[in-house]
Amino acid sequence: MKCSVCPRNCGVERGNNIGFCSVGDEFMLARAAKHEWEEPCISGVNGSGTVFFSGCSLRCAFCQNYEVSRASTGAQVSEDKLMRIFDSLVEQGVHNINLVTPTHYTEKLAAVLSKYKSPVPVVWNSSGYEKVESLQMLEGLVDVYLPDIKFFDAAVSQKYAGASDYFEYASKAVLEMFRQVGALETDENGMAKKGVLIRHLVLPGNVSQSFKILEWISENLPEDTAISLMSQYVPYAKAKEMPPLDRRLSSREYSMVKQKALNLGLENVFFQQKNSASEDYIPQFNLEGLDL
Ligand code: SF4
């Protein structure tokens, strides 16, 4: 079947070819392990059970998981093995199964999640560049949506990700996620159990994008919408030669965006410490957790 799972609409037969996302129709994973550096309501004390899928349908110039998003790292994994990997993470005591960059496998993951009854919440950790009709396959199967909203202006998303239609898709995707699971709900320990948590990485030299995204959230989503406002940008990959992405975010830029969120009355925002901007927080994509 010709693939049109994501907005790239490649139309390739993924059994024999690869599309823009760089992978065929078999699962390719780069790592499956506990991760302690997500938001507190995702990582908690025991860690999040992150499952990193190889390939990506967005492929930002500044991607910090560059070798994974271009699918140069990864091992093929069957559906049964993927379920065993989920079991292994659950046995390690993780708070959730966190599917990282899963969009290009939406259809296959919907099939797996229909069979696998997870005892911990399932988190869909995506770029936000997704089609509503694809997300609808996940209804009732995903507990927590953790989408990015990366860019607002078409010219900016075209420049940094070759996707002038990024916000058009991401905004509709986030509204669909809200329709399915609503605002973020946490348990008695403050862990995410259901709902949407929007991530936004503030980019150097692009404060206006952050302002516009926060304004859109305040105008279109509930006041208590959970937002993770990230300051952890580190120049990586092609971005090292793409000013202003060739530098770190300044404290002043992050403060301006933080103040904007407060001025808009957004009341459920996770702020990040400046020392989070370190390559030390980027996981090692060494196929850990796949050898079961
Ligand atoms: S999921 Fe991959 S092959 Fe399918 S449309 Fe998107 S980029 Fe193309």
Side-chain angles (χ1 to χ4, degrees):
M1 196 173 72
K2 294 184 174 178
C3 186
S4 57
V5 159
C6 84
R8 297 290 182 188
N9 285 320
C10 299
V12 297
E13 294 280 359
R14 285 176 59 180
N16 307 313
N17 296 291
I18 58 171
F20 183 91
C21 55
S22 303
V23 287
D25 64 357
E26 297 299 323
F27 287 124
M28 287 265 288
L29 269 62
R31 177 183 166 90
K34 271 190 188 187
H35 189 52
E36 295 174 354
W37 307 113
E38 306 280 38
E39 291 77 3
C41 67
I42 302 292
S43 282
V45 289
N46 295 337
S48 176
T50 45
V51 179
F52 287 89
F53 291 93
S54 304
C56 179
S57 51
L58 187 56
R59 294 179 25 184
C60 302
F62 51 85
C63 182
Q64 306 201 342
N65 300 342
Y66 187 83
E67 64 272 44
V68 178
S69 60
R70 270 58 174 176
S72 56
T73 300
Q76 198 166 308
V77 164
S78 67
E79 290 188 14
D80 285 346
K81 184 163 178 179
L82 182 60
M83 290 191 266
R84 291 203 300 279
I85 288 169
F86 293 165
D87 277 338
S88 167
L89 290 167
V90 170
E91 282 162 17
Q92 292 171 53
V94 297
H95 292 288
N96 43 60
I97 297 293
N98 184 346
L99 306 173
V100 186
T101 321
T103 302
H104 46 295
Y105 290 120
T106 303
E107 207 166 352
K108 281 177 73 78
L109 282 168
V112 168
L113 294 173
S114 300
K115 288 184 236 165
Y116 185 81
K117 299 301 168 206
S118 176
V120 293
V122 172
V123 179
W124 188 262
N125 183 342
S126 69
S127 68
Y129 190 49
E130 297 174 279
K131 286 181 165 179
V132 166
E133 55 266 41
S134 295
L135 290 169
Q136 284 171 344
M137 293 182 226
L138 302 168
E139 186 155 11
L141 304 173
V142 165
D143 301 289
V144 177
Y145 280 106
L146 186 56
D148 293 323
I149 303 186
K150 292 173 181 280
F151 320 105
F152 186 91
D153 291 335
V156 176
S157 57
Q158 178 62 31
K159 184 173 174 191
Y160 295 155
S164 59
D165 53 3
Y166 174 82
F167 187 76
E168 190 186 319
Y169 278 99
S171 53
K172 290 183 186 138
V174 167
L175 291 171
E176 168 61 18
M177 293 171 185
F178 262 85
R179 186 194 68 77
Q180 287 185 25
V181 296
L184 187 68
E185 295 173 28
T186 53
D187 65 16
E188 61 284 5
N189 298 315
M191 299 307 301
K193 61 177 185 182
K194 186 170 184 268
V196 180
L197 167 56
I198 297 171
R199 279 181 167 167
H200 173 62
L201 175 66
V202 185
L203 294 173
N206 281 279
V207 163
S208 66
Q209 295 302 292
S210 303
F211 283 10
K212 289 176 189 178
I213 288 166
L214 291 172
E215 281 164 3
W216 181 83
I217 291 172
S218 80
E219 286 163 13
N220 292 280
L221 298 173
E223 268 178 9
D224 62 347
T225 295
I227 304 166
S228 174
L229 206 51
M230 301 189 295
S231 62
Q232 68 186 45
Y233 179 82
V234 179
Y236 209 66
K238 284 190 215 159
K240 287 183 175 174
E241 282 103 46
M242 290 179 74
L245 298 187
D246 58 345
R247 64 169 172 85
R248 293 184 186 218
L249 185 72
S250 70
S251 299
R252 182 165 179 275
E253 286 172 314
Y254 189 63
S255 297
M256 287 167 70
V257 176
K258 193 172 167 180
Q259 193 56 51
K260 178 74 175 180
L262 297 171
N263 292 347
L264 287 167
L266 296 167
E267 55 192 43
N268 195 7
V269 185
F270 295 89
F271 297 112
Q272 211 174 26
Q273 302 295 322
K274 185 91 168 60
N275 60 9
S276 307
S278 164
E279 292 192 17
D280 296 346
Y281 295 102
I282 299 171
Q284 296 291 309
F285 296 110
N286 52 7
L287 310 186
E288 181 180 347
L290 308 185
D291 188 19
L292 292 177

